[in-house]
Amino acid sequence: MSQENFSTEEIPNYDQYIKKGWALTFQDEFDGTEVSTNRWNKLNSGYKDHGRLHHYLPEQVFSSSGTLKLQVDNNPFESFPYRSGAVTTQGLHEQLYGKFEIRARLPEGQGFIPAIWLLPKDHSAFPEIDIVEMLGQLPSEIWHVAHKGPGERNCAMTTNVDGREWHLYTLDWSKDELIFYIDGIEKFKTTNFANSAMYLLMNVTVGGVWVGDPNNEN
């Protein structure tokens, strides 16, 4: 959502968003049997940088019961030992500033990194805004990260939230600030450095230097 005159006042539902001057710019409740190709790209790509072990495939992405589901399994694909799912709004919806809200339940498991994040529409690697990410083996540690550039980041980690349960993750992005919330409670605030339109990504990474490799229990 976007608002011409940005406000950080807590707004608990869509009716009050509208009353406070917000305009709904993008929404998906995933209430159909297929993920909308008008709203989302299903990725078909793999890379092994930083020790990644997965290949994103469109068939790992589906919706049911009003929920987007990104499936991970250990059925190898080409030289990748894991398959995973990822979606983006690149080229379909890109936005400068606004309120981003996603209700999500994050998967537990050694070697998994579920993430909901933003990247620039011009394909740049930075800036990057991680609305929420979690190491699968540490579901009670929820991260909010703002990457200005390589090695330049501001971040906070919340420990009183169980990422395996449903929560509402919110980013308020204005010209001046990035403010991160969980279930309407502010968790982290930092100065904004991202001033170009960005698109949304949701994915589950498998393996890597930070999270480690999956184990036999996954």
Side-chain angles (χ1 to χ4, degrees):
M1 283 173 285
S2 66
Q3 183 187 44
E4 184 175 352
N5 297 313
F6 186 86
S7 171
T8 58
E9 182 177 347
E10 181 178 347
I11 307 170
N13 58 53
Y14 288 128
D15 288 341
Q16 290 196 26
Y17 288 144
I18 294 170
K19 291 176 183 178
K20 296 297 183 179
W22 294 89
L24 185 63
T25 57
F26 181 90
Q27 181 179 12
D28 199 339
E29 300 296 338
F30 300 104
D31 49 5
T33 57
E34 298 288 339
V35 175
S36 171
T37 56
N38 294 322
R39 297 188 181 102
W40 301 100
N41 307 296
K42 298 180 183 180
L43 294 192
N44 187 347
S45 63
Y47 65 97
K48 296 184 178 180
D49 297 350
H50 311 295
R52 303 301 190 208
L53 300 174
H54 63 275
H55 194 290
Y56 294 127
L57 291 168
E59 56 263 36
Q60 303 297 113
V61 177
F62 58 99
S63 64
S64 64
S65 303
T67 306
L68 171 71
K69 298 181 180 179
L70 307 178
Q71 182 172 301
V72 177
D73 63 53
N74 60 358
N75 180 18
F77 180 82
E78 297 179 348
S79 62
F80 294 87
Y82 290 87
R83 300 177 182 221
S84 187
V87 294
T88 84
T89 65
Q90 187 175 25
L92 299 172
H93 181 78
E94 295 152 339
Q95 183 167 317
L96 173 62
Y97 309 140
K99 180 184 290 288
F100 298 78
E101 289 196 335
I102 303 94
R103 183 172 179 265
R105 185 173 65 183
L106 307 177
E108 179 182 17
Q110 167 67 40
F112 296 163
I113 306 181
I116 301 168
W117 47 311
L118 299 173
L119 278 179
K121 64 177 291 185
D122 65 2
H123 304 276
S124 300
F126 297 100
E128 172 188 324
I129 303 173
D130 298 322
I131 300 172
V132 59
E133 60 182 346
M134 182 187 86
L135 300 182
Q137 62 266 37
L138 298 171
S140 63
E141 297 183 3
I142 303 300
W143 288 88
H144 314 288
V145 188
H147 297 268
K148 185 176 182 179
E152 298 180 83
R153 68 173 188 169
N154 296 323
C155 62
M157 187 256 286
T158 297
T159 58
N160 61 346
V161 173
D162 187 345
R164 297 169 295 186
E165 303 298 328
W166 288 104
H167 295 285
L168 183 66
Y169 298 100
T170 303
L171 168 70
D172 281 353
W173 172 26
S174 72
K175 182 178 179 181
D176 299 317
E177 294 180 314
L178 299 169
I179 308 175
F180 300 79
Y181 303 82
I182 301 178
D183 297 328
I185 300 172
E186 182 180 321
K187 297 296 182 179
F188 177 50
K189 179 190 296 185
T190 188
T191 301
N192 176 53
F193 47 74
N195 296 293
S196 61
M198 306 181 85
Y199 63 93
L200 180 68
L201 303 89
M202 296 192 284
N203 68 312
V204 182
T205 295
V206 183
V209 176
W210 185 31
V211 70
D213 293 345
N215 56 28
N216 292 331
E217 295 180 2
N218 289 358

